[in-house]
Amino acid sequence: MKKVFFTFLKFLVSFLLLYFLFRKFPLRSVIDVVKGMELWSIWGGIFLVFVFFFISSLRWKMLLSEQEIYISLPRTFVYFLISFFIGTFLPSGLGMDVVRSIYAGGRKNFERAFISTLVDRTLGMSALIFIGFVFSFTHRNFLVFLPIYGGFLALIAALFLLIMKEKVGMVRRMTEKIKFLKEPLSKMYRAFLVYREKKKTLVNVFLLSLFLQLIFILYNMVLAWGMGYRAVLPFFVYIPLAGVVALLPISIGGLGPREATYVYLFSFAGFPSEGALALSLLSFALGLIPALLGGFLLPFFKPSE
């Protein structure tokens, strides 16, 4: 019952924010912006979406290998797409990370696969925030953005170091008292500590994540260029923050909060609000194409044993 209630609240947040945005910026004007786009930018955006997912699969494969889960890159890519489809379109109640852990690890290695996805997501988010932090210095309101990005980076670093230095022993002992959680949490904890000895891999994954997030920013930039907006630097400051907002578990797929963030932030850089709203919605819509491909592939691939 709680799951249904919180899902309803997420739908409500997304609906209300989109409703207020479309009241202020009519849907027709947003559609007109998309219709007036240069076609090359849309095809370029679709290409970059698939490049983004492919490199994401490579990054995840590197982390899986350190857990002794060896899957070919093409299969890792397919699992990524399938999990994206299930997590986006099917009412399974399972998040994308859980689904891809099931496919990659199966019952035997689920915990190790799941830890690899958490580290994968954490390093990806860290790279995105790091880019925002660095480019904040180029913004006239850098005193506003620096504390935001700096705070996020400090929080992620503190949590990561806390676990790496085994300071979570007290938490582990507490969870061991709950019998049905003892074994899976113990496996996850041991799986996480594997990365403590794999610092070179973590550095390489972080560097790959930086490249990956630059592609994500370029993806938004290409779509905006197709709308006639030729700026560059604002994307490196605004897109990371919008990406973090979209990850907050308060809406459906980030819809609503992400669009409001685009409209608000890009207004400082002279991007028309209708254009910023169209950019956010279009970047979300094109990003669903790999998910649809994952749905097509779903019947042909089964989770690992």
Side-chain angles (χ1 to χ4, degrees):
M1 193 66 182
K2 284 184 178 180
K3 185 182 294 185
V4 174
F5 175 71
F6 284 117
T7 301
F8 171 75
L9 286 181
K10 289 181 179 181
F11 269 111
L12 187 62
V13 169
S14 292
F15 172 79
L16 288 177
L17 282 174
L18 290 176
Y19 173 77
F20 286 122
L21 284 172
F22 286 130
R23 280 289 299 269
K24 191 169 184 180
F25 313 108
L27 180 59
R28 180 175 296 179
S29 62
V30 174
I31 294 175
D32 287 341
V33 172
V34 177
K35 284 183 176 180
M37 288 181 64
E38 298 178 46
L39 193 58
W40 70 265
S41 67
I42 295 178
W43 285 112
I46 294 173
F47 172 75
L48 289 172
V49 164
F50 278 97
V51 171
F52 180 87
F53 271 85
F54 185 78
I55 297 177
S56 296
S57 302
L58 174 61
R59 182 181 66 182
W60 183 37
K61 184 182 185 301
M62 293 169 62
L63 293 169
L64 283 171
S65 297
E66 297 296 357
Q67 295 291 343
E68 298 183 350
I69 300 175
Y70 303 107
I71 305 173
S72 67
L73 181 56
R75 184 167 288 268
T76 307
F77 180 59
V78 169
Y79 287 167
F80 215 101
L81 297 183
I82 290 175
S83 64
F84 189 34
F85 171 77
I86 295 176
T88 303
F89 291 110
L90 297 187
S92 61
L94 299 177
M96 177 181 172
D97 291 340
V98 174
V99 175
R100 61 177 168 143
S101 300
I102 292 172
Y103 269 84
R107 292 183 180 181
K108 183 179 178 181
N109 296 317
F110 172 80
E111 290 83 3
R112 285 188 286 162
F114 185 65
I115 287 299
S116 75
T117 65
L118 292 183
V119 174
D120 174 69
R121 188 174 287 276
T122 301
L123 289 176
M125 186 186 302
S126 300
L128 186 61
I129 294 172
F130 180 76
I131 291 172
F133 177 79
V134 170
F135 280 90
S136 291
F137 290 97
T138 68
H139 200 278
R140 65 179 183 274
N141 293 325
F142 69 95
L143 290 178
V144 174
F145 291 100
L146 276 179
I148 295 174
Y149 286 123
F152 276 123
L153 284 176
L155 178 61
I156 293 173
L159 290 174
F160 203 80
L161 290 174
L162 188 68
I163 300 176
M164 281 294 192
K165 291 182 176 297
E166 299 189 72
K167 299 299 184 182
V168 292
M170 180 179 69
V171 176
R172 186 173 47 145
R173 288 192 294 272
M174 290 172 60
T175 55
E176 284 178 349
K177 296 179 181 179
I178 309 175
K179 292 184 178 180
F180 71 92
L181 288 178
K182 181 178 179 179
E183 184 177 353
L185 286 178
S186 179
K187 287 182 179 179
M188 288 185 188
Y189 184 74
R190 290 197 300 271
F192 191 91
L193 291 181
V194 166
Y195 294 117
R196 188 175 56 176
E197 309 300 327
K198 307 293 182 180
K199 294 182 177 62
K200 183 178 179 181
T201 297
L202 293 180
V203 171
N204 288 336
V205 169
F206 180 74
L207 293 176
L208 186 61
S209 296
L210 287 174
F211 178 65
L212 188 63
Q213 300 303 346
L214 289 175
I215 291 176
F216 176 65
I217 293 172
L218 178 62
Y219 163 61
N220 280 270
M221 204 181 301
V222 164
L223 294 178
W225 287 347
M227 298 175 184
Y229 183 71
R230 303 297 183 184
V232 173
L233 288 179
F235 287 89
F236 292 91
V237 182
Y238 301 152
I239 295 299
L241 187 54
V244 172
V245 170
L247 290 174
L248 297 176
I250 58 174
S251 61
I252 300 299
L255 272 174
R258 177 182 50 247
E259 283 64 42
T261 304
Y262 269 63
V263 171
Y264 177 72
L265 291 178
F266 278 101
S267 65
F268 292 108
F271 196 177
S273 297
E274 292 84 354
L277 182 54
L279 172 62
S280 181
L281 291 171
L282 184 62
S283 65
F284 174 74
L286 294 184
L288 294 180
I289 294 176
L292 295 174
L293 177 58
F296 173 78
L297 296 171
L298 179 60
F300 305 103
F301 291 86
K302 294 182 179 180
S304 301
E305 297 294 332

